[in-house]
Amino acid sequence: MIPISDDVRSERFPIVTVLLILVNSAIFFMEVLLGPDADQLIRTFGFTPAQIVTNWYNPLVPLTLITAMYLHGGWAHLIGNMLYLWIFGNNVEDRMGPVRFFLFYTLSGILAGLAETIAAPTSMTPGIGASGAIAGVLGAYLLLYPRARVQVLLPLPIWFATFSVPAILVLGGWFVMQLFNGLIALDVTAQTGGVAWWAHIGGFVAGMLLMPLFRQKRRPTYSYYDRSW
């Protein structure tokens, strides 16, 4: 299932969400233009768990937990992350405000990277992508809008079907899938790299825990789309 929209109206323009999408896209286009030289960019600015563990005292090494959030490994990686960020980030930003949301997003991404480091402390494979930070957004969204409905796209053999599904099923199912894959891959991640399942898991949990600290005390008025028609 691919989420394509939700039914929560935002009261404010999601300036940080839009800027994050633009910045991530611009940096990816730069990667494309670099061609094979992009590998050096990823090795320099992606976070490497083994480096985090052994060279944490070098300020440039922990900084890669942030810079890695703005690098992506391909078109599907970028588009998938930005789609999730757009659908769920605008509403979370609406409840936190732009400054708090940016801090929340960044901290969720850092904690996601640390979770992956704990899961694979000897890995020399650079981790990149915004998915850990976006997982934090998903965790916050689940707590803030559990009754929201998410429109999902289901690819069929000869056609596409769309369904309206409760957010708790979409995001809860997403988390269960990450946890299942993370447990399976726990012993091989350090050796082979691959999808950073524990960054997704850590980011999601971090988002749920951090959300009450970043949510604005005065709750903005929001409403769901009228589906009576």
Side-chain angles (χ1 to χ4, degrees), residues 42-126:
I42 290 172
R43 285 194 294 269
T44 301
F45 294 101
F47 82 90
T48 304
Q51 289 292 323
I52 298 293
V53 171
T54 59
N55 293 329
W56 56 267
Y57 48 85
N58 180 345
L60 296 179
V61 172
L63 188 62
T64 60
L65 290 168
I66 297 177
T67 58
M69 297 181 209
Y70 297 92
L71 298 170
H72 288 84
W75 286 102
H77 193 199
L78 174 73
I79 293 171
N81 277 344
M82 297 304 101
L83 177 64
Y84 272 80
L85 179 57
W86 171 248
I87 294 171
F88 301 106
N90 62 335
N91 301 125
V92 176
E93 180 180 346
D94 198 40
R95 291 294 300 272
M96 294 181 178
V99 175
R100 291 187 183 196
F101 176 70
F102 180 73
L103 294 175
F104 165 84
Y105 177 91
T106 302
L107 186 54
S108 293
I110 292 172
L111 294 175
L114 291 176
E116 182 65 20
T117 299
I118 292 171
T122 62
S123 174
M124 289 298 295
T125 302

Side-chain angles (χ1 to χ4, degrees), residues 128-175:
I128 58 172
S131 52
I134 294 170
V137 173
L138 302 186
Y141 186 101
L142 181 61
L143 294 182
L144 290 168
Y145 305 101
R147 296 179 297 167
R149 309 256 334 160
V150 179
Q151 196 78 7
V152 298
L153 180 69
L154 181 63
L156 298 176
I158 59 173
W159 196 247
F160 294 94
T162 58
F163 300 91
S164 179
V165 183
I168 193 170
L169 292 182
V170 175
L171 301 180
W174 181 89
F175 178 74

